[in-house]
Amino acid sequence: MPGSAAELRRCAGKPRVLRVSWDTVVIRRLLLGAAVTTVLFTVGIIGLGWKPYVVMSDSMAPAMHAGDVILVDPQATSLAVYEIVTYSDPRGLITHRVVAQAEDGTFTVKGDANQQPDTRPVERRQVIGPVRLILPSVGWPVVQVRTHPFKVAGVALILAVVWPRRRLLGVALLGGLVAVLALVPTTGALPL
């Protein structure tokens, strides 16, 4: 009989072995690695003072695409021609390449995929900073939430209903995730 006194005495000196499948171990290690990497990366970026943005358009293709995360350095003191910068515009935040600098200090910017430079010159006070790092496709979920919010909400709801365990918790977590993704800062404005 399992759990009897004789069974307990017989197993008392033996260590208990917890059997876990190899795929569970791999998944746990991947999740732990992703969590540690995310924390270290975030702490490093905060220490440098860089700001993350998600690219929402392909105006800078092939250098960057919609869904890429860019890290912008707002503490940079100088800008160079051919440097990619993020700047504030009446349409929103835009990330384009500096193609020229006028004598009055304004910049002419152009998206790499655009035929013509932007019509309005950009003043130094409009520039948030140069792009220091591009992380391809990391912001893809943000693009999906921003461009297809009803599709994402529908898929999240279907997953929560189909997933039999803890439905209410699943709906709440997916709803929270969609809300958080909707608050991520983005760059790339639509034409006026």
Side-chain angles (χ1 to χ4, degrees):
M1 169 194 291
S4 68
E7 178 74 20
L8 291 174
R9 278 192 299 275
R10 190 169 58 86
C11 297
K14 297 179 184 176
R16 222 171 199 191
V17 178
L18 177 63
R19 300 202 188 273
V20 180
S21 63
W22 67 272
D23 56 341
T24 303
V25 171
V26 170
I27 290 170
R28 286 181 182 172
R29 287 187 180 172
L30 285 173
L31 290 174
L32 178 62
V36 168
T37 302
T38 302
V39 168
L40 291 175
F41 185 75
T42 304
V43 168
I45 296 306
I46 289 172
L48 292 171
W50 294 354
K51 293 184 176 182
Y53 296 96
V54 176
V55 177
M56 294 296 290
S57 75
D58 282 328
S59 68
M60 281 299 295
M64 62 182 73
H65 299 277
D68 292 353
V69 170
I70 58 172
L71 298 170
V72 176
D73 182 5
Q75 299 165 345
T77 56
S78 65
L79 298 174
V81 175
Y82 301 114
E83 195 165 26
I84 300 173
V85 298
T86 298
Y87 65 94
S88 181
D89 185 78
R91 300 173 287 170
L93 294 180
I94 299 177
T95 300
H96 280 170
R97 189 179 304 276
V98 175
V99 293
Q101 185 173 5
E103 289 182 18
D104 64 356
T106 59
F107 300 99
T108 302
V109 294
K110 176 184 171 295
D112 290 355
N114 297 346
Q115 296 295 321
Q116 300 293 324
D118 294 359
T119 54
R120 298 179 214 152
V122 177
E123 297 178 18
R124 177 62 176 114
R125 63 180 171 78
Q126 291 177 268
V127 176
I128 294 171
V131 174
R132 296 295 187 209
L133 185 63
I134 301 169
L135 303 171
S137 303
V138 173
W140 182 82
V142 175
V143 173
Q144 296 308 307
V145 168
R146 291 283 180 98
T147 56
H148 310 292
F150 294 111
K151 286 182 184 178
V152 171
V155 168
L157 186 60
I158 289 170
L159 285 174
V161 169
V162 171
W163 195 9
R165 295 183 184 165
R166 299 183 183 103
R167 286 188 184 153
L168 185 58
L169 179 62
V171 170
L173 288 175
L174 288 171
L177 179 62
V178 168
V180 166
L181 291 177
L183 297 174
V184 173
T186 60
T187 177
L190 297 173
L192 288 175

